[in-house]
Every structure is written in structure tokens, then in C-alpha cells.
């Protein structure tokens, strides 16, 4: 492979990697915000209607294929006059899908805290909301970190789906350069290595956070 072609491949993929990181960070922030808020409400409320609505959201978004949901947002909204950029749809779409996953991650984390912790909090006079904020939430977050790390790694890989709505991330740029150069093996091989590097960094970041929260 000549140096000019190698430069074109690396430039296209690294440019796409920036977009991949932007989409991943944005979607992760949306997912964490939705997940933590709704998991907290579900944990604290005794209102069955609210729990039903939260469960309905989880089941709907978790069981609809991600690509189908992205198409619904990108093309469906455009059909009724609401036009969003591919980047906006990528962040919101993956964030909403991720929120449905993250709700159950936080929910499991909160439920994994021993019941004795709640009883001890009540024994010293803490109200349920204060007990949750001071006792259950910190421990639940720590317990939720490993599955959250797995979700974040999966999210980085799932950003490849937004190539279908023309978001210029790694796979979109890889396809473009393959169409121009026909260097299929080199381009997709380099893309795979780039995804491996990104997911490795994400995994190590979560491991570091886990270790710090142990102290």
C-alpha cells in the first residue's frame, strides 16, 4: 500500500473516530441521566401507574431493534416536518435506547444493597428519601459500575449503526473510502483496530473509576 492511500485511510478513520467519541459521550450522558432518574423514581415510588409507565418504556425501547428506532426518529420525524440532523438523532436515539438498559442496571444495583442498610438508616431516624440519598444511592452506584462499563463498551460499538443515517463516524467514513479505493481489507481492518482501541480505553476508564470508588 502506498503512503498516499494509507494517509487517506487514516485521516478518514481518525476523523470518524472523533464523531464516534462525540456520539458515544452524548448518548452515554443521555442514557445515564434517564436511567438514574427513572430508576430512582421506580425504587422510591409506590404508585403502580408510574411503575407501569417506566416498565413500558424499558420494554419498548429494549426490544425494538436499535437501527429501526434510529430510522423512525430520522425519517419518521422528517415525514411529519420535524427535521433533525443525523448527529442529533444519533445522540438522542442511542441515548433513549441506552436509558432503557441503564434503568435496569441501576435498579439492580439499588436492589443489591443489603436490606439491613435500609433498616439501619431507619433506626437512626433517616427518612426514606434521605436513606436512599445517603445510603442506598452511593452503594448502588458502586455495584452498578461493572455492568455500566459493559454497556458503555457496547455503546461505542453500536455507534456504527448511525452510519445508516449518514452520521460521519468511523464506519460511515470507512465505507466512503472503500467505495473510492476498493481497499476493503485494509480499511475495515483498520476500522476494527480503531474500535478495539476505543473500547479498550472505555473499559480501562471504568476499571479506574471502580478502583477509586472502593476507597
Amino acid at each position: 500500500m502506498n503512503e498516499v492511500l494509507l494517509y487517506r485511510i487514516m485521516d478518514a478513520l481518525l476523523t470518524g473516530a472523533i464523531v464516534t467519541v462525540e456520539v458515544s459521550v452524548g448518548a452515554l450522558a443521555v442514557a445515564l441521566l434517564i436511567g438514574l432518574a427513572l430508576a430512582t423514581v421506580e425504587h422510591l415510588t409506590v404508585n403502580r401507574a408510574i411503575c407501569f409507565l417506566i416498565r413500558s418504556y424499558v420494554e419498548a425501547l429494549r426490544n425494538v431493534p436499535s437501527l429501526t428506532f434510529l430510522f423512525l426518529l430520522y425519517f419518521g420525524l422528517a415525514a411529519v416536518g420535524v427535521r433533525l440532523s443525523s448527529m442529533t438523532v444519533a445522540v438522542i436515539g442511542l441515548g433513549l435506547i441506552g436509558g432503557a438498559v441503564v434503568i435496569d442496571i441501576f435498579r439492580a444495583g439499588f436492589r443489591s444493597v443489603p436490606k439491613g442498610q435500609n433498616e439501619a438508616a431507619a433506626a437512626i431516624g433517616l427518612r426514606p428519601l434521605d436513606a436512599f440519598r445517603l445510603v442506598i444511592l452511593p452503594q448502588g452506584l458502586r455495584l452498578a459500575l461493572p455492568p455500566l462499563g459493559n454497556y458503555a463498551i457496547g455503546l461505542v460499538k453500536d455507534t456504527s449503526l448511525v452510519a445508516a443515517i449518514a452520521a460521519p463516524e468511523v464506519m460511515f467514513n470507512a465505507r466512503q473510502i472503500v467505495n473510492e479505493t476498493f481497499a476493503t481489507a485494509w480499511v475495515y481492518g483498520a476500522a476494527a483496530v480503531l474500535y478495539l482501541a476505543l473500547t479498550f480505553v472505555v473499559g480501562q476508564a471504568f476499571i479506574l473509576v471502580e478502583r477509586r470508588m472502593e476507597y
Side-chain angles (χ1 to χ4, degrees), residues 32 41 44 47 49 69 75 83 96 111 121 125 127-128 136 142 144-146 171 175 178 193 202-203 207:
L32 290 176
V41 170
L44 293 175
N47 188 308
F69 186 64
F75 298 110
R83 299 188 179 277
L96 287 172
R111 290 189 172 186
R127 294 176 299 177
I136 306 301
R142 186 165 60 250
L145 270 177
M171 282 306 298
R175 290 176 188 173
V178 163
V193 171
V202 171
I207 289 173

Side-chain angles (χ1 to χ4, degrees), residues 16-211:
I18 295 173
V19 176
T20 293
V21 171
E22 291 174 347
V23 171
S24 298
V25 171
L28 181 62
V30 172
L32 290 176
L33 181 62
I34 292 173
L36 183 57
L38 294 186
T40 298
V41 170
E42 188 175 20
H43 184 81
L44 293 175
T45 189
V46 293
N47 188 308
R48 291 185 178 181
I50 293 176
C51 290
F52 174 77
L53 291 174
I54 294 174
R55 285 294 99 198
S56 298
Y57 164 70
V58 170
E59 293 302 319
L61 272 292
R62 192 173 57 185
N63 294 315
V64 171
S66 299
L67 188 57
T68 301
F69 186 64
L70 290 173
F71 281 162
L72 282 173
L73 287 181
Y74 191 64
F75 298 110
L77 291 179
V80 295
V82 180
R83 299 188 179 277
L84 300 176
S85 69
S86 58
M87 286 291 291
T88 300
V89 170
V91 171
I92 294 176
L94 292 178
L96 287 172
I97 294 167
V101 176
V102 172
I103 286 172
D104 278 346
I105 291 176
F106 282 129
R107 180 171 175 248
F110 298 154
R111 290 189 172 186
S112 296
V113 177
K115 291 184 179 180
Q117 298 289 319
N118 254 330
E119 295 169 357
I124 61 174
L126 288 179
R127 294 176 299 177
L129 185 59
D130 290 330
F132 175 80
R133 180 173 60 87
L134 298 173
V135 180
I136 306 301
L137 181 60
Q139 295 183 64
L141 291 178
R142 186 165 60 250
L143 292 169
L145 270 177
L148 281 176
N150 291 335
Y151 160 71
I153 290 171
L155 175 61
V156 173
K157 295 185 290 184
D158 283 347
T159 57
S160 62
L161 295 173
V162 303
I165 56 172
E169 48 73 64
V170 172
M171 282 306 298
F172 180 84
N173 286 2
R175 290 176 188 173
Q176 294 292 99
I177 202 73
V178 163
N179 291 337
E180 295 175 15
T181 65
F182 301 101
T184 306
W186 284 102
V187 174
Y188 289 135
V193 171
L194 188 52
Y195 277 117
L196 180 62
L198 290 173
T199 54
F200 176 79
V201 170
V202 171
Q204 292 302 306
F206 272 86
I207 289 173
L208 180 61
V209 173
E210 285 179 54
R211 288 175 178 171

